[in-house]
Amino acid sequence: MKKKTLRDVDVAHKRVLVREDLNVPLGPDGAITDDRRIEAAVPTLKYLMDHHAKVIVAAHLGRPKGKRDEKYSLKPVATRLCELLGAPVKLAPDSAGPDVEQLAKDLKDGEVLLLENIRFHPGEEKNDPELAKRLAALADIYVNDAFGAAHRAHASTEGVAHHLPAVAGFLMEKEINYLSRVLEDPERPFVSILGGAKVGDKIGVIRNLLEKVDRLIIGGGMAYTFFKAQGYEIGKSLLDKENIDVARETLEQAKQKGVSLELPVDIVVGKEFSNDTERKVVPATEIPEGWEGLDIGPETREKFRRIILDAKTVVWNGPMGVFEFPN
């Protein structure tokens, strides 16, 4: 899949709006527990700085649901980005509006401005055309480098691209090149591992992969919706109510296509959503009332390990449990 990238445009002395995926996990104290997504953004941002662009970064953190919530502020991200880039990173007080426009205008070549959490605006997830226009007004060129958020048609990913010349960043280019190769001519057996919270967020991915994979491993929060679809009790575990029927249809489609859809066989459950909660391992189809699934159990880990070791190609998207908690 050929895409125009940063190398195809002259960024010198231009204001460049870069959408990055800086949605990193934070610990209870608000400190970043895994900065790999920030590290992955560095090559694109360094290239822009070295080529005398005025760099404006848009990103989100968590799910603040269109309201300002300080626990989802990008302040810790700005601090870490500054360390990794070896240069100051200004954090804007907002992601749109007159103050932000002035900060963008005042940028000098090679400087970096990080916009505050774009999801503080209700218009972001609604792909509001007005918010997209306001974002576009900040810059001369748009770079989408947010591979982890590119499947969502939001104002900062899809909307803004209608108003500015748009190219891919280096992380986006790398991921597209890799995935194109893997999905067009994979070595077999081809196994995909899917985790994360909601079936609805991944349904397009699941349907595409059912056409290509030999085995599909499903874990993490979305596994409980698949158990519910089969009539099992899931206690207080995560449930994507709107997509129970979709999970049921997916199980049937996998059977029809001869794809082995693998679900957990045992689960680590806890009384509360915390690291130090009382916990135990139970069969995946027997989660007691008042308990919630937090991770795959030891038998499942061994089962999934054997499947992965047998594979020649593995595509992994989303965690198998609450990786933010050490336990």
Side-chain angles (χ1 to χ4, degrees):
M1 190 190 296
K2 288 287 181 190
K3 293 277 182 194
K4 278 193 172 180
T5 73
L6 274 181
R7 297 181 201 88
D8 300 309
V9 287
D10 179 13
V11 298
H13 319 302
K14 306 262 179 66
R15 286 177 302 151
V16 180
L17 176 66
V18 190
R19 179 57 159 99
E20 291 287 1
D21 180 8
L22 305 178
N23 188 23
V24 291
L26 302 176
D29 58 353
I32 295 166
T33 57
D34 185 339
D35 67 356
R36 278 176 289 187
R37 283 184 171 173
I38 306 175
E39 285 184 356
V42 167
T44 290
L45 301 180
K46 283 287 272 183
Y47 176 93
L48 288 166
M49 292 164 70
D50 292 345
H51 286 77
H52 314 295
K54 302 167 172 70
V55 188
I56 303 155
V57 182
H60 75 277
L61 181 66
R63 296 177 185 247
K65 299 184 178 169
K67 296 187 187 119
R68 189 173 190 98
D69 184 337
E70 288 309 313
K71 77 175 177 187
Y72 295 118
S73 170
L74 287 172
K75 281 175 194 154
V77 173
T79 302
R80 185 65 186 126
L81 198 52
C82 172
E83 291 165 358
L84 289 168
L85 292 173
V89 173
K90 294 178 193 169
L91 179 65
D94 202 341
S95 50
D99 290 347
V100 178
E101 285 162 24
Q102 192 57 53
L103 284 168
K105 274 179 191 164
D106 292 344
L107 275 178
K108 295 182 173 60
D109 291 353
E111 287 187 337
V112 180
L113 173 69
L114 175 62
L115 305 182
E116 184 53 283
N117 194 336
I118 187 71
R119 286 194 185 170
F120 285 173
H121 281 270
E124 163 66 356
E125 296 189 73
K126 292 174 185 167
N127 200 3
D128 176 45
E130 284 309 307
L131 178 57
K133 277 183 200 167
R134 285 162 78 190
L135 287 168
L138 300 174
D140 308 299
I141 295 167
Y142 172 68
V143 176
N144 193 341
D145 203 33
F147 181 79
H151 61 297
R152 303 187 189 281
H154 290 174
S156 69
T157 57
E158 197 271 349
V160 71
H162 292 282
H163 303 287
L164 289 172
V167 295
F170 295 144
L171 175 62
M172 180 73 81
E173 177 188 39
K174 179 175 134 190
E175 295 280 16
I176 287 172
N177 287 344
Y178 176 74
L179 267 183
S180 298
R181 194 170 76 244
V182 162
L183 296 179
E184 283 160 20
D185 187 24
E187 280 192 76
R188 295 189 179 278
F190 178 11
V191 173
S192 184
I193 309 165
L194 289 183
K198 289 191 167 186
V199 176
D201 285 352
K202 303 274 167 83
I203 191 55
V205 176
I206 293 170
R207 284 182 175 150
N208 274 320
L209 286 170
L210 282 176
E211 301 291 332
K212 303 174 192 300
V213 299
D214 302 300
R215 301 182 94 163
L216 180 60
I217 291 173
I218 289 182
M222 75 160 100
Y224 309 109
T225 303
F226 281 85
F227 288 125
K228 194 72 174 173
Q230 296 173 83
Y232 298 114
E233 289 305 316
I234 62 167
K236 296 193 297 182
S237 306
L238 271 175
L239 176 63
D240 187 352
K241 281 185 188 170
E242 292 169 11
N243 286 291
I244 293 172
D245 287 342
V246 168
R248 200 175 289 121
E249 287 161 19
T250 301
L251 289 163
E252 189 53 42
Q253 285 166 0
K255 201 180 292 180
Q256 288 170 4
K257 292 178 187 299
V259 172
S260 179
L261 194 152
E262 308 286 352
L263 288 164
V265 292
D266 61 346
I267 297 288
V268 180
V269 294
K271 275 282 192 184
E272 303 294 338
F273 189 78
S274 74
N275 184 56
D276 300 317
T277 185
E278 181 188 348
R279 62 188 189 276
K280 61 183 178 180
V281 177
V282 299
T285 56
E286 297 173 27
I287 297 174
E289 191 177 337
W291 294 72
E292 63 183 305
L294 298 178
D295 210 337
I296 56 174
E299 203 179 321
T300 303
R301 291 203 302 271
E302 182 56 31
K303 173 190 170 185
F304 288 177
R305 188 182 79 91
R306 288 195 304 269
I307 293 167
I308 293 161
L309 283 175
D310 186 51
K312 290 285 192 292
T313 301
V314 180
V315 170
W316 178 20
N317 179 278
M320 296 287 100
V322 189
F323 64 91
E324 296 91 339
F325 297 155
N327 281 329

